[in-house]
Amino acid sequence: MKVLVIGGGAREHALCRSLSLDPEVTALHCAPGNAGIAEVAELHPVDALDGAAVARLATELEAGLVVVGPEAPLVAGVADAVRDAGIPCFGPSREAAELEGSKAFAKDVMAAANVPTARSYVCTTPQQIDEALDAFGTPYVVKDDGLAAGKGVVVTADLAKAREHALACDRVVIEEFLDGPEVSLFAITDGETVLPLQPAQDFKRALDNDEGPNTGGMGAYSPLPWAEPKLVDEVLETVLQPTVDELRRRGTPFAGLLYAGLAITGRGVRVIEFNARFGDPETQVVLARLKTPLAGVLLAAAEGTLADLPSLTWRDDAAVTVVVASHNYPDTPRTGDPIEGLAEIAEQDAPHAYVLHAGTRRNDDGTVVSAGGRVLSVTATGKDLTQARERAYTAVHRITLAGSQHRTDIASEAAARA
């Protein structure tokens, strides 16, 4: 099978790494990719938001499967263009991807499917914003209705900050705060059958102890030793399957990766948000634990044959990923700084620890430099979370990137409780 992956972040590097290890994959391509992905896939320049260009590239490569990684191309309808060209594509249609593209649409779907979620108001005027903020009180949860690259949500006790963020959005969802730990649960679906993956937990705040601004994610781990054994089955029954069934009922079947961001509250599981693609950085740890070859599962979802697959198999290992971010992330990150230490990790820490590139590029002289806010995802596996953490941070400490930052507490509490 020839596979083309669309995107250029750590999520796509994790996907490409897993696909490169799949014996069914005979050729692996990525567009546009990054400096790390270039080590496992052939890169191609393409505008990932241009469906016609992506479909044309897939046709030229004679791809048997296209995997669309990021949310923006999905919301732009890139998967539709690929399917229209007669090529199987893993990723929902433009209409189904509105589950992530519009939080108001997602709330409407959840209401129709009786999926448990936070009470909320959709606001478009200053008066509606003030009334909603007053109704829910502190802490305020304010969400830009549209795509915001993981930075469209403000959770704050500061009314002025909450109001400022809300007024900056064309349409905003204001909702009640959900207490309790958060869980990310991915499910692969062909629009009917839903195949849940293993849960993970990510860390949104920039600084240790969950302080600092919200980011796209500073690290993740899996499994969750504190979670109830029945959690995945419960979420499948009350959240994932009803959502997929409701979208199919509406005539917009969701085929691809359905990501449920969940809060385990005192009143039970509640959906915080849906995403229409693999999450970053949770993908890095979930795929590190997946034993079943990936390509056949993604192809079955694209072709509507998930029900015919045997159950997924998982490694017993734990996995931890630590994000190394550039100077001043998440505000205006500095780019162009050289990255050193990657060869040492490959030589001394593999195969238990490895680096997935997020925002990197290779200069003409061969130097790998930073090219984004989140630069690297250092991922490691171990017999338990303690060993996986030790291996991940040993590798992180080999990296030199001027002004870089990373959290030092990824999975520390869970490892202590395991």
Side-chain angles (χ1 to χ4, degrees):
M1 189 195 311
K2 295 180 181 178
V3 182
L4 169 62
V5 176
I6 303 301
R11 164 187 45 230
E12 288 75 35
H13 193 177
L15 287 164
C16 285
R17 180 181 183 274
S18 290
L19 290 165
S20 73
L21 299 173
D22 188 333
E24 295 296 314
V25 176
T26 54
L28 183 58
H29 303 269
C30 187
N34 61 38
I37 295 174
E39 297 175 10
V40 295
E42 183 179 345
L43 303 191
H44 304 269
V46 76
D47 179 354
L49 297 176
D50 186 338
V54 171
R56 191 161 50 246
L57 174 62
T59 302
E60 291 170 0
L61 295 173
E62 299 180 335
L65 174 66
V66 175
V67 180
V68 182
E71 60 272 27
L74 292 168
V75 173
V78 168
D80 304 82
V82 172
R83 279 191 281 268
D84 288 345
I87 299 170
C89 184
F90 182 81
S93 66
R94 178 186 62 80
E95 288 184 316
E98 276 297 287
L99 201 63
E100 177 170 3
S102 167
K103 292 176 178 63
F105 174 75
K107 289 289 187 182
D108 185 64
V109 170
M110 283 188 272
N114 200 28
V115 169
T117 186
R119 293 179 297 122
S120 64
Y121 294 106
V122 179
C123 306
T124 56
T125 69
Q127 181 181 348
Q128 290 173 343
I129 288 168
D130 289 339
E131 289 174 353
L133 291 171
D134 183 60
F136 288 127
T138 184
Y140 304 102
V141 181
V142 184
K143 299 182 175 182
D144 190 336
D145 179 57
L147 294 180
K151 304 185 197 75
V153 179
V154 166
V155 180
T156 179
D158 187 326
L159 177 59
K161 283 185 178 178
R163 193 170 188 273
E164 179 186 19
H165 182 68
L167 291 171
C169 305
D170 291 332
R171 185 161 71 155
V172 66
V173 175
I174 296 174
E175 63 183 40
E176 67 174 326
F177 177 76
L178 296 175
D179 65 315
E182 295 185 13
V183 173
S184 300
L185 185 62
F186 302 161
I188 293 171
T189 177
D190 57 10
E192 291 193 32
T193 300
V194 181
L195 202 62
L197 305 185
Q198 290 291 301
Q201 185 174 58
D202 76 330
F203 295 76
K204 288 284 194 293
R205 298 285 185 173
L207 306 176
D208 284 3
N209 303 312
D210 286 330
E211 297 179 355
N214 252 3
T215 72
M218 294 299 291
Y221 70 92
S222 180
L224 312 182
W226 50 267
E228 291 284 343
K230 64 179 183 180
L231 175 65
V232 173
D233 290 339
E234 179 186 344
V235 175
L236 175 61
E237 181 181 341
T238 63
V239 174
L240 299 170
Q241 192 70 57
T243 301
V244 168
D245 291 344
E246 171 62 18
L247 286 167
R248 188 175 69 254
R249 187 191 67 77
R250 293 178 178 220
T252 56
F254 188 106
L257 194 290
L258 178 57
Y259 166 150
L262 309 164
I264 313 301
T265 76
R267 295 170 292 150
V269 173
R270 296 289 186 271
V271 175
I272 300 170
E273 65 175 355
F274 282 127
N275 290 337
R277 38 71 195 185
F278 280 101
D280 182 349
E282 299 97 322
T283 301
Q284 289 86 302
V285 292
V286 172
L287 292 186
R289 299 186 57 224
L290 179 64
K291 187 182 281 188
T292 301
L294 183 62
V297 182
L298 302 187
L299 183 63
E303 295 186 331
T305 59
L306 268 184
D308 300 333
L309 286 187
S311 299
L312 298 178
T313 57
W314 297 90
R315 297 181 178 90
D316 292 332
D317 287 357
V320 171
T321 193
V322 179
V323 170
V324 177
S326 55
H327 175 72
N328 207 36
Y329 177 77
D331 293 326
T332 307
R334 189 175 74 204
T335 60
D337 290 313
I339 303 166
E340 298 177 354
L342 300 177
E344 287 78 5
I345 294 172
E347 291 169 6
Q348 299 181 48
D349 302 308
H352 301 299
Y354 49 88
V355 178
L356 298 168
H357 291 229
T360 67
R361 60 180 170 82
R362 191 177 294 275
N363 284 344
D364 292 340
D365 64 1
T367 304
V368 176
V369 300
S370 60
R374 291 186 295 173
V375 181
L376 305 169
S377 285
V378 180
T379 305
T381 57
K383 68 178 186 295
D384 53 27
L385 286 173
T386 297
Q387 187 178 54
R389 283 191 82 248
E390 290 170 351
R391 288 171 169 173
Y393 279 107
T394 295
V396 166
H397 293 145
R398 298 192 200 280
I399 293 169
T400 302
L401 172 60
S404 67
Q405 54 180 313
H406 65 271
R407 284 184 57 159
T408 66
D409 63 347
I410 302 301
S412 60
E413 187 177 330
R417 293 169 61 178

